[in-house]
Amino acid sequence: MRTAVREVAAALAVVLCVAGCASPDFAPGAAGIGDPYFPTAGNGGYDVAGYDLDLRYDPSTGVLSGAATITATATQALSRFHLDLATLTAGTVTVDGADARHTARGGELVVTPADGIDRGRTFTTVVRYSGTPGPLAGNEDSGWFRTAEGAYAVGESQSAGAWFPVSDHPADKATFRLAVAVPDGLAAISNGRPGPRRTSGGWTTWRWAETAPMAPYLTLLAIGRYRITTTRHRDAPMIVAIPESSPGDGPASRALARTGEIADYLATWFGRYPFDSYGGVVVDDERFGYALETQSRPVYSSEFFRRDADTGLVAHELAHQWFGDSVSLHRWKDIWLNEGFATYAEWLWAEHEGRDRPQTTFDALYSTFDWSAPPGDPGPGGLFADTVYQRGAMTLHALRTSIGDPAFRTLLTAWTTEHRGATATTADFVAAAQKAAGGRDLHAFFQAWLSGTSAPPRG
């Protein structure tokens, strides 16, 4: 009799556990994705597929409020997981429709769902939140910036976590949809293709969608009074937005007017343009001067955004559509792959316009360059250092000289095609270069150019 009772009790325990107990294999996801430069950037235990934001911004108070719907797949059995969210407060959180516990901890939103999430399962998290966003702590050039009439959100290496819950690392690329309500008379400009607008009760809701996965730091939002020009280029929308405070015939306006022409020229080197929209946004802010952003891919560094913005800057930012946006970094130490190519695009465009040839620019830099700081692993404080941009570009030109133009062009188009929409590393690029060069061993070449602390061979 006692044996029968024990068997019934055990069976009941199994039934109850199936109904609600977490497996002992469930474990918390990591607070960071594993990048040594930024230990808490991104998050472990899941991979995001898409963000869908429904927001409202009141410029008179600086309050941003709304909901973020995040679709992700668990890469481990999760008992809880993190989202990056700074300066804003989560009100309610649900996972697959069920209320989830949540706590804020040092710029992280820690979510504990009602039940564990099995590895491989796709789940949907909805976070309703509000607050007064601002720049990110420790990275004052990134995040959310309030202006007299609106705001803008932009920055690198992290920025998205300043205005929505996110896994804020380029290794976790995702699609992006945004609906944001702002007072009538203001524009709200973001990434990708514009959707239909709706006006009601003194507010206008602007909609944007980027259907190609992108790194979270690329998400842009600019709210203010803009002159918006919408045209088409190669059967894709081209949106150019200039602040009403900026001269309509100023240098930034003239440079952006040539966006399609510049993109087409770069495509002759880099392969097919990788996105389905073109354009640019200018942010007029005394804190940084003119910030010139490519419409599908914003990148922020005050070093680059000048009041005399020219077509070279447009070429630089458009090149990021291929290098940084379509082919993204897997870890931040390889940032030369983004900025070296974007800088080299400036050199190519200068030659196309009849100015200096890349070899002339290379020679002038080589003779005076400080070689003590290599670009291959610049450290978190050196991501935007001159060596990453200029020595990165010199590395590419030296490679071009070494393997010849036919192999170099083959490399560029193969790289952007084979890694389109994905992430990649320097090791991947070295392997691709060796393949394009007919199997030639280029490890010593890249070691000298990316890691050496003395002048490397010219090519």
Side-chain angles (χ1 to χ4, degrees), residues 291-310:
L292 189 69
E293 311 292 346
T294 50
Q295 187 267 343
S296 288
R297 193 273 181 192
V299 62
Y300 200 87
S301 170
S302 57
E303 174 186 357
F304 281 94
F305 302 135
R306 312 177 294 270
R307 289 189 177 275
D308 61 345
D310 58 16

Side-chain angles (χ1 to χ4, degrees), residues 39 48 73-74 119 132 135 143 147 150 152 175 178 222 273-274 287 304 321 357 373 391 399 413 419 440:
V48 178
T73 300
R119 180 180 179 181
T132 306
T147 63
Y152 60 97
T175 60
L178 170 68
Y273 184 76
R287 284 169 287 192
F304 281 94
Q321 304 281 9
R357 298 172 56 245
R391 186 167 167 179
L399 177 64
T413 54
H419 296 279
R440 177 178 160 190

Side-chain angles (χ1 to χ4, degrees), residues 351-417:
E351 180 181 38
H352 180 69
E353 285 209 304
R355 293 181 278 124
D356 289 341
R357 298 172 56 245
Q359 187 64 51
T360 304
T361 305
F362 176 94
D363 291 340
L365 284 168
Y366 190 94
S367 63
T368 60
F369 204 77
D370 177 4
W371 302 102
S372 62
D377 193 355
L383 291 179
F384 308 110
D386 196 46
T387 185
V388 170
Y389 291 74
Q390 302 298 341
R391 186 167 167 179
M394 282 193 282
T395 300
L396 294 170
H397 188 73
L399 177 64
R400 177 184 174 184
T401 301
S402 179
I403 67 176
D405 269 19
F408 185 69
R409 284 180 174 272
T410 296
L411 166 63
L412 298 191
T413 54
W415 178 254
T416 58
T417 300

